Amino acid sequence: MSGLLDVEGLVTRFYTEEGVVKAVDGNSFRLEEDEALGVVGESGSGKTVTALSIMRLIEAPGRIEAGRILFRGEDLLKKSEREMRRIRGKDLSMVFQDSLSSLNPTLTVGAQIARVLKHHTRLSRRARWRRAVELLAAVGIPEPAKRASHYPHQLSGGMRQRALIAMAISCNPKLLILDEPTTALDVTIEAQIFELIGELKEEFGMGVFLITHDLSVVASFCSRVIIMYAGKIVEEAGVHELYAHPLHPYTRGLLRSIPPLEGGEARLQSIPGEVPDLINLPPGCNFSPRCALADERCWQVEPELSGITPGHRAACWRAERPAMAGGGHD
Amino acid sequence: MTDVLLSVRDLVKHFPAAGDWFAQIFDRRVVRAVDGIGFEIDRGTTLGLVGESGSGKTTTGRIIVRLIEPTRGEILFDGIDLLKLRGKALKAMRRRIQMIFQDPASSLNPRKTVGQIVAEPLRVHGMVRGKELERRLVRTLELAGLSSRFLNRYPHELSGGQRQRVGIARALAVGPEFIVCDEPVTALDVSIQAQILNLLMDLQDELSLTYLFIAHDLSVVRHVSDRVAVMYLGKIVEIGEVDAIFSAPKHPYTQALLAAVPRPDPAAPPRKVLRGEVPSPIDPPSGCRFHPRCERYMGDICKRNEPVLAAVDGGTEVACHLYSRGG
């Protein structure tokens, strides 16, 4: 049985003047149909490059070097650019982080949605416009008929993000990739957007691949989480399992870095140091220079991502040992 | 503890809605960015200022550091009328009040080294030179958690966290008493965010600094603040002790804001969604500015009368008719 999306051994590298950037380094994961999978990581973790690889939007000096990306059983890496253009925006859709730069400033939002429909459907010109207005209404934009003839700069950030989502779902995609869709937005607008995506997911039964740095957003929206660090998946589990029993020291550090809304803790337990340079990765485990638990083996041998308990994978030499400091075992 | 360092009274800032002077002839409308706010900050404490985009929190911070001239109002700093200061007296005051910006990438000059950036305020104020300057630079960088090997680096060679440390060092260089922190960790990764928050809190203890901490991230504000002011469309709707506001928010807007925040816990109750968007500050709603979105809307009184801040139990001050019936 295959899932909606099966990524196997994906390797994406960028050949820069400074050296080879190992942006995504041999990752495998699966996304089931109508599942919301969260991918959490900090800058340079490879989460966006993973999404761009799935969309086949990696440009020079970047290259997908190895792996398979099975989307509904077919390897996207074997598709021609022409075939990809038929898939992108139709079955496989992506919403980018910056709504202002991912919309065309010289076209009204209605015209941009109609353009996507023209590419993928046989609807008439008038039907396309009608559908665009319907879509804007579906994503909760007030006065959709009027807004359809507005240019992106005339809309607020929240409305632009809604318009982008309207465009992304215009052809009922099977998989919607969201790259930090609410990072620039206020928390109230963020809550509105995720409510909307949740409703659309239920209605159309689409899978959602949500990229974010925000563990709280993932906890409230996704059913499964992948944690990435320096190009590698370091942990993967169902949300309830991950937040109750985080195994990887990096995941635990991330969770402890969030100031609790309930107050308490006078001092946050931050993770010391910074994300390593992807051109000069440390030997052994990528996280070892920042890890309080690291020992000789961690500095020398890279740990594999392996199942610790059913449905819970972690790439850590120290993960199997129970009752470590702050381990959250009950 | 009742040693007030900063006191703001009836502060107003209206920007012209139209761009240039010519357009302004035809369009006399104004953006009511800050529309009559007041608060006090005790020495050595932090006031958190929260609100959505367009609430006026950043404008408030910029007025206090005198980057923007307010339309009217009064700001007393250590008993001195800040807005009346000109020339030398203002320059001397700038040593006492500093600012840390949101985006360290755009607030640091890319053509200058870290050493030059941090030395700039010292040079402007003619405070130290020569050997003493060097020693001062190294000490300031150390305070911000950077070693002296960063002195000759350029901003682009640094990580986001390191750049923000340079921004902090630049603010600390002249030995200020008060710092306006404008979204200082918003652009940083979570693990780095925690490092910078810890640093800011350590510096406050060490140097008895007073902060105005502007942020839209409520858990960050909760973590660093002693008191919190919640802004909506240019007004303060609630102000009080941080624990009181977060455990028992009074204003329906504060309640809605807190209910919308996601928790790092999948078992937490689902986020509650506040409908609509913040209305335009050019033509804010009549009466209580929050009334079109308010769940507790009571009709005419909310639509017609503008509520004023008044104390309720627990010492919190709220501007809401729910708490002022009969008054």
Side-chain angles (χ1 to χ4, degrees):
Chain A
M1 263 300 283
S2 63
L4 173 63
L5 180 76
D6 281 277
V7 172
E8 294 169 5
L10 180 66
V11 175
T12 305
R13 292 185 175 153
F14 290 82
Y15 290 83
T16 67
E17 278 175 30
E18 289 81 29
V20 183
V21 179
K22 296 178 178 171
V24 174
D25 204 11
N27 289 331
S28 302
F29 61 90
R30 164 179 293 190
L31 196 153
E32 303 290 351
E33 266 173 57
D34 67 42
E35 177 183 42
L37 174 66
V39 182
V40 177
E42 301 182 274
S43 343
S45 62
K47 52 194 198 307
T48 297
V49 175
T50 301
L52 294 175
S53 303
I54 296 169
M55 293 295 288
R56 284 271 310 273
L57 290 173
I58 298 292
E59 285 176 6
R63 236 172 33 213
I64 299 175
E65 304 236 294
R68 300 204 297 167
I69 298 175
L70 300 175
F71 178 59
R72 308 173 83 194
E74 290 179 46
D75 191 352
L76 294 182
L77 299 184
K78 295 220 172 82
K79 301 273 181 204
S80 66
E81 179 52 34
R82 200 187 154 94
E83 288 171 305
M84 274 315 291
R85 250 180 271 155
R86 273 203 295 271
I87 298 171
R88 259 187 239 127
K90 188 161 189 296
D91 294 327
L92 184 58
S93 218
M94 180 160 171
V95 174
F96 295 87
Q97 175 172 357
D98 184 356
S99 62
L100 198 54
S101 65
S102 34
L103 286 166
N104 184 336
T106 66
L107 282 180
T108 64
V109 291
Q112 294 185 57
I113 297 172
R115 234 187 207 196
V116 177
L117 292 167
K118 186 180 181 188
H119 188 75
H120 291 295
T121 70
R122 288 159 173 271
L123 292 175
S124 71
R125 194 188 166 91
R126 281 178 63 184
R128 289 198 298 264
W129 185 262
R130 214 165 38 233
R131 178 88 184 113
V133 174
E134 276 169 25
L135 283 161
L136 290 175
V139 297
I141 290 184
E143 302 179 88
K146 187 174 135 203
R147 292 296 182 184
S149 3
H150 280 183
Y151 289 89
H153 75 269
Q154 294 172 291
L155 305 180
S156 68
M159 274 209 247
R160 276 200 300 269
Q161 202 55 280
R162 280 166 197 269
L164 269 186
I165 292 169
M167 197 186 307
I169 61 161
S170 60
C171 301
N172 300 339
K174 299 287 178 292
L175 176 61
L176 180 63
I177 299 176
L178 301 160
D179 187 5
E180 305 264 10
T182 57
T183 302
L185 303 176
D186 282 314
V187 60
T188 56
I189 307 297
E190 178 187 87
Q192 290 177 4
I193 298 279
F194 276 109
E195 184 189 49
L196 166 70
I197 297 167
E199 285 166 6
L200 295 169
K201 179 178 163 297
E202 291 305 309
E203 202 177 321
F204 299 107
M206 48 178 198
V208 174
F209 187 76
L210 172 66
I211 296 169
T212 176
H213 65 277
D214 191 333
L215 276 162
S216 306
V217 162
V218 165
S220 68
F221 186 78
C222 298
S223 49
R224 226 149 42 81
V225 200
I226 284 173
I227 309 283
M228 286 189 75
Y229 185 79
K232 295 248 183 202
I233 295 176
V234 296
E235 186 160 8
E236 180 193 348
V239 275
H240 291 278
E241 167 68 12
L242 187 101
Y243 290 78
H245 307 286
L247 291 173
H248 200 284
Y250 176 64
T251 311
R252 288 191 211 149
L254 277 184
L255 284 166
R256 282 195 298 243
S257 298
I258 307 170
L261 198 58
E262 290 72 27
E265 304 278 324
R267 218 183 146 71
L268 296 168
Q269 297 190 32
S270 61
I271 304 173
E274 310 242 356
V275 176
D277 180 356
L278 294 174
I279 293 173
N280 292 305
L281 286 167
C285 170
N286 286 343
F287 187 62
S288 60
R290 303 175 75 185
C291 183
L293 300 172
D295 58 19
E296 209 55 42
R297 179 165 53 160
C298 305
W299 293 318
Q300 281 162 15
V301 191
E302 187 160 4
E304 294 255 327
L305 185 66
S306 53
I308 309 292
T309 56
H312 197 156
R313 299 193 294 164
C316 176
W317 292 120
R318 311 287 307 263
E320 284 146 290
R321 296 179 203 176
M324 282 182 293
H329 287 266
D330 39 29
Chain B
M1 280 308 287
T2 53
D3 181 10
V4 176
L5 180 64
L6 183 89
S7 159
V8 171
R9 286 176 205 162
D10 193 31
L11 193 65
V12 174
K13 176 64 189 179
H14 292 173
F15 293 101
D20 55 51
W21 65 268
F22 187 73
Q24 281 165 25
I25 295 173
F26 301 101
D27 186 354
R28 307 301 283 274
R29 294 176 307 163
V30 292
V31 175
R32 299 166 184 274
V34 174
D35 214 12
I37 64 166
F39 55 83
E40 290 181 343
I41 309 179
D42 285 346
R43 205 181 287 273
T45 69
T46 299
L47 175 74
L49 197 54
V50 297
E52 297 175 88
S53 352
S55 63
K57 53 191 197 305
T58 292
T59 304
T60 304
R62 296 195 167 186
I63 293 171
I64 293 170
V65 294
R66 293 286 305 266
L67 281 175
I68 296 177
E69 285 304 302
T71 306
R72 63 165 185 272
E74 184 184 65
I75 302 174
L76 295 177
F77 182 83
D78 204 10
I80 303 163
D81 191 339
L82 205 59
L83 299 176
K84 295 232 168 75
L85 296 179
R86 298 283 178 270
K88 267 193 180 149
L90 176 60
K91 191 172 165 189
M93 183 56 84
R94 291 195 192 279
R95 271 174 61 175
R96 303 178 67 184
I97 302 178
Q98 286 287 315
M99 184 156 183
I100 297 168
F101 296 89
Q102 168 173 355
D103 183 4
S106 64
S107 60
L108 303 178
N109 187 336
R111 293 163 180 272
K112 289 194 169 167
T113 63
V114 167
Q116 288 168 328
I117 290 168
V118 179
E120 176 90 7
L122 292 167
R123 201 179 50 72
V124 167
H125 290 285
M127 290 172 72
V128 282
R129 54 180 66 176
K131 271 267 149 52
E132 177 56 26
L133 175 65
E134 187 93 346
R135 270 199 295 276
R136 180 85 169 234
L137 283 178
V138 172
R139 209 162 59 228
T140 310
L141 284 183
E142 269 169 13
L143 272 176
L146 293 171
S147 69
S148 54
R149 70 193 164 87
F150 283 97
L151 276 174
N152 296 316
R153 301 264 185 95
Y154 288 89
H156 75 265
E157 300 174 282
L158 309 180
S159 70
Q162 288 163 348
R163 277 197 288 253
Q164 193 54 294
R165 287 176 191 272
V166 175
I168 292 170
R170 177 177 57 185
L172 292 175
V174 290
E177 295 152 63
F178 181 80
I179 300 181
V180 173
C181 308
D182 187 8
E183 303 268 12
V185 297
T186 306
L188 305 175
D189 276 322
V190 194
S191 72
I192 308 301
Q193 217 177 64
Q195 292 177 6
I196 299 293
L197 290 176
N198 283 337
L199 171 67
L200 288 171
M201 292 175 83
D202 291 345
L203 289 169
Q204 178 164 47
D205 287 345
E206 235 167 279
L207 309 169
S208 15
L209 296 168
T210 307
Y211 291 145
L212 175 67
F213 195 98
I214 301 166
H216 70 280
D217 184 328
L218 290 157
S219 35
V220 165
V221 167
R222 150 115 235 193
H223 186 73
V224 301
S225 308
D226 299 290
R227 284 164 58 78
V228 176
V230 182
M231 286 188 77
Y232 186 76
L233 269 180
K235 293 270 185 191
I236 291 177
V237 296
E238 182 162 0
I239 180 167
E241 299 295 322
V242 68
D243 288 332
I245 295 214
F246 278 81
S247 59
K250 296 284 189 286
H251 198 285
Y253 176 63
T254 316
Q255 291 169 356
L257 209 52
L258 281 169
V261 178
R263 311 295 177 96
D265 173 11
R271 305 168 72 170
K272 263 190 78 186
V273 175
L274 174 61
R275 304 282 152 204
E277 298 196 21
V278 180
S280 160
I282 292 177
D283 187 18
S286 62
C288 171
R289 292 177 181 197
F290 187 57
H291 86 255
R293 302 173 77 191
C294 185
E295 272 199 343
R296 309 284 302 275
Y297 175 59
M298 295 186 295
D300 272 0
I301 181 168
C302 300
K303 213 172 178 171
R304 294 220 180 102
N305 303 350
E306 184 160 342
V308 289
L309 276 175
V312 293
D313 52 294
T316 300
E317 288 177 69
V318 192
C320 175
H321 293 302
L322 280 173
Y323 304 93
S324 64
R325 282 201 210 170

